[in-house]
Amino acid sequence: MPFKKTAQTYSASINTVTLGTGDKAVTVGGSNVDALCSFDAPIEHKPLIGFEITDKGIDATLPKMAEVFAGCDTVAAQAAKAAELPGVDFVAIRFESADPNGADMSVEDCVAMATAVAEATDAPLCFEGCKNFDKDAKIFEAVASALQGRNALFMSAREENYKTVAASVGMAYGQKFGAESAVDINLAKQLNVLIGQMGIQNNGYVMNLGSAAVGYGFEYLLSTIDRVRAAALGQSDAQLQLPIVTPCAGDCWGVKEALTEESEAPEWGAREERGIQMEICTAAAVLAAGSDAVIVGHPDSAATLATFVADMM
């Protein structure tokens, strides 16, 4: 009996969220098919690739990073360069040094850096915090105010600070934000319900379901993304029909495979190549599970993933 292919499409679809303005604006979400299954139905908006730079700047100990960003002595200059890299759709700035338990960079310094980045590039922007609930809320509110009109994405609003972040970033200043939960479909839905009760429409924010590098509890992350997408499309669960954005850079470049110097483990090969491989494997799997955008931290990762996405489209 000949095989008859049946297209798997859904009556429900993922909401769209637009980042940035003008000709550089990009849209995330919108599909009504399983992840990357463009053979079932056209996918109007391709998965997006973001490039992350921390407030400490690029890691110049990595040869390719030092070469690509040569002459870019400030975070703003590095962000402008990142926006021009092949495959990059938006630029993410992570305020790593703002952690009160670390360098405790001030909110004012964060705003100054964000403003400089916004002046250096007209690419869509994303801002990530230091994982301190109170400090992140203050940073996001101040930066969102300073960059009104840029339609930037702020990652993330969590259970501990969503009221402040959603009210300031989303309602007061008209920016976008990410609802971050801890790798659990029930927690993700609960947070979305709470945000909806504030009167915020679900085309004004995205979901961040958590992150992990391959080999580090990664299977649970993939299963969570898969379950969320299945509920959104297969069960028409409106509370989960939001685009998923997954930051990968921090986790992938923070594991031993990407940190151990070649002199300590020569059999592992070059450290930079290991980090790139970790990042590509992680981000590609996340996209295949259902994420609508990923954030990486190396030019080779961004270019490879962009080629992967283009081939699947």
Side-chain angles (χ1 to χ4, degrees), residues 116-184:
V117 168
E119 291 173 349
T121 178
D122 58 356
L125 299 176
C126 170
F127 296 98
E128 300 174 81
C130 63
K131 300 186 183 300
N132 179 281
F133 309 130
D134 294 334
K135 187 69 173 288
D136 284 351
K138 293 176 182 178
I139 292 171
F140 293 161
E141 181 175 7
V143 173
S145 174
L147 300 187
Q148 285 188 68
R150 282 303 296 261
N151 198 28
L153 174 63
F154 291 78
M155 304 282 283
S156 297
R158 289 168 283 191
E159 182 180 2
E160 295 83 356
N161 65 4
Y162 78 91
K163 290 182 179 179
T164 302
V165 174
S168 60
V169 171
M171 300 177 74
Y173 302 119
Q175 314 270 22
K176 303 300 194 303
F177 62 91
E180 180 180 354
S181 51
V183 198
D184 185 291

Side-chain angles (χ1 to χ4, degrees), residues 111-265:
V111 171
M113 181 176 292
T115 302
V117 168
E119 291 173 349
T121 178
D122 58 356
L125 299 176
C126 170
F127 296 98
E128 300 174 81
C130 63
K131 300 186 183 300
N132 179 281
F133 309 130
D134 294 334
K135 187 69 173 288
D136 284 351
K138 293 176 182 178
I139 292 171
F140 293 161
E141 181 175 7
V143 173
S145 174
L147 300 187
Q148 285 188 68
R150 282 303 296 261
N151 198 28
L153 174 63
F154 291 78
M155 304 282 283
S156 297
R158 289 168 283 191
E159 182 180 2
E160 295 83 356
N161 65 4
Y162 78 91
K163 290 182 179 179
T164 302
V165 174
S168 60
V169 171
M171 300 177 74
Y173 302 119
Q175 314 270 22
K176 303 300 194 303
F177 62 91
E180 180 180 354
S181 51
V183 198
D184 185 291
I185 185 173
N186 296 313
L187 293 177
K189 183 171 181 177
Q190 175 182 318
L191 182 56
N192 291 345
V193 169
L194 293 172
I195 291 172
Q197 290 174 349
M198 297 178 64
I200 298 176
Q201 301 298 313
N202 56 9
N203 63 352
Y205 66 104
V206 303
M207 288 188 293
N208 173 9
L209 299 174
S211 60
V214 288
Y216 290 84
F218 187 60
E219 296 82 357
Y220 192 58
L221 172 63
L222 290 187
S223 67
T224 300
I225 295 175
D226 184 66
R227 290 179 63 200
V228 168
R229 183 49 57 90
L233 296 179
Q235 301 173 23
S236 299
D237 191 332
Q239 301 296 343
L240 294 173
Q241 290 170 348
L242 291 95
I244 300 169
V245 178
T246 306
C248 298
D251 285 293
C252 291
W253 289 95
V255 297
K256 64 180 181 180
E257 289 84 354
L259 290 174
T260 304
E261 296 293 345
E262 187 175 1
S263 59
E264 299 177 36

Side-chain angles (χ1 to χ4, degrees), residues 250-309:
D251 285 293
C252 291
W253 289 95
V255 297
K256 64 180 181 180
E257 289 84 354
L259 290 174
T260 304
E261 296 293 345
E262 187 175 1
S263 59
E264 299 177 36
E267 69 277 11
W268 286 8
R271 181 168 75 92
E272 186 169 25
E273 291 303 316
R274 284 184 262 122
I276 294 169
Q277 292 167 10
M278 288 290 295
E279 200 164 49
I280 291 173
C281 291
T282 298
V286 164
L287 291 172
S291 186
D292 299 280
V294 294
I295 300 174
V296 297
H298 195 283
D300 288 359
S301 302
T304 300
L305 290 166
T307 300
F308 167 68
V309 168

